[in-house]
Amino acid sequence: MADLLGSILSSMEKPPSLGDQESRRKAREQAARLKKLQEQEKQQKVEFRKRMEKEVSDFIQDSRQIKKKFQPMNKIERSILHDVVEVAGLTSFSFGEDDECRYVMIFKKEFAPSDEELESYRRGEEWDPQKAEEKRKLKVSREGQALEPAAQHPDSGPLSAGLPLHPQELAQRQEEEAAQQGPVVVSPASDYKDKYSHLIGKGAAKDAAHMLQANKTYGCVPVANKRDTRSIEEAMNEIRAKKRLRQSGEELPPTS
């Protein structure tokens, strides 16, 4: 009896010591704090999304605004804003080199930014449509001035000087050269009639089509020789006779 009671007591877990109780209490407190922080972070994301939805909705309803720049955000906030903008049917881009300084700009679909405008924002510059239009006109005027001497002196144009031509000018020059050269006549090196004369003969196509003589070297057989003049009864009788002879082992007579 004493041995049985001793074995039962030894198999039972010992009561936790004061140190174990303290460590378990700290683990429970840490888990509770972590859960509370996760809930707070989740609630902050929900509130931030609602705030962004409100700002985007006000931006859409304001007909005077075509774009909107937001304050720098972290990666999670930018992703939430991009999702809100996509759901609203707008266009959004992120700019800035450092992750802490990156910000989001949203645009209405009908006022989507051009490549030049996006490149200006990537360089950290403000977009000025008037300056961009002035630069474009200046570039066009310079290209026009570069093409005028070539039009006045074709032999001393950019092509003869080794300078690159404008794509439109180059296409026009190629069309003029093709028109001067005329249509291109293609002459094959050999005639197919000579190559296949052993098959189609030397005669013309119409004459060869009316020729009724078959070339026996290729195994052609006249249609009249292919017809079977026997009746069905005669053919069946011959088949039965061949079958009986085959079964009896006799030699088959040659067919006529």
Side-chain angles (χ1 to χ4, degrees), residues 43-229:
Q43 185 64 25
Q44 290 176 358
K45 290 180 181 179
V46 172
E47 293 176 357
F48 178 79
R49 186 179 184 90
K50 290 181 180 180
R51 188 167 69 254
M52 291 298 101
E53 290 176 351
K54 177 68 168 56
E55 294 187 15
V56 171
S57 178
D58 295 340
F59 169 73
I60 294 174
Q61 295 176 4
D62 191 355
S63 59
R64 296 171 298 177
Q65 288 186 341
I66 62 175
K67 60 184 178 181
K68 181 178 176 62
K69 179 180 178 180
F70 290 84
Q71 295 296 327
M73 305 175 183
N74 57 41
K75 186 176 182 180
I76 297 176
E77 292 175 345
R78 291 197 306 271
S79 63
I80 294 174
L81 179 55
H82 284 304
D83 185 62
V84 172
V85 171
E86 184 179 0
V87 173
L90 304 178
T91 305
S92 62
F93 297 92
S94 294
F95 303 102
E97 296 181 358
D98 298 334
D99 188 65
E100 297 178 355
C101 300
R102 287 184 69 82
Y103 61 92
V104 177
M105 289 189 67
I106 63 176
F107 303 83
K108 293 182 178 179
K109 285 288 187 180
E110 57 272 20
F111 300 103
S114 61
D115 295 337
E116 293 82 2
E117 184 175 357
L118 293 176
E119 189 63 27
S120 176
Y121 292 136
R122 292 190 182 101
R123 292 193 302 264
E125 303 173 357
E126 292 294 333
W127 171 251
D128 191 348
Q130 296 181 355
K131 291 183 179 180
E133 184 66 20
E134 292 176 358
K135 289 182 180 180
R136 189 187 66 82
K137 290 181 179 179
L138 181 61
K139 182 179 180 181
V140 172
S141 63
R142 288 178 178 176
E143 292 178 354
Q145 293 175 2
L147 293 176
E148 285 179 0
Q152 296 175 1
H153 305 283
D155 297 336
S156 61
L159 187 62
S160 61
L163 299 177
L165 279 175
H166 191 271
Q168 186 176 2
E169 182 71 16
L170 181 60
Q172 184 177 1
R173 181 70 61 85
Q174 291 177 352
E175 291 179 359
E176 293 176 356
E177 293 178 357
Q180 293 177 0
Q181 293 177 358
V184 179
V185 180
V186 179
S187 57
S190 60
D191 191 357
Y192 76 97
K193 293 182 179 179
D194 298 335
K195 184 176 181 180
Y196 300 102
S197 60
H198 64 287
L199 297 177
I200 62 177
K202 296 290 186 179
K206 291 184 178 179
D207 298 337
H210 290 289
M211 294 175 62
L212 301 179
Q213 297 179 358
N215 192 346
K216 296 182 179 180
T217 59
Y218 292 98
C220 297
V221 181
V223 177
N225 297 344
K226 297 181 180 179
R227 294 177 180 176
D228 193 352
T229 58

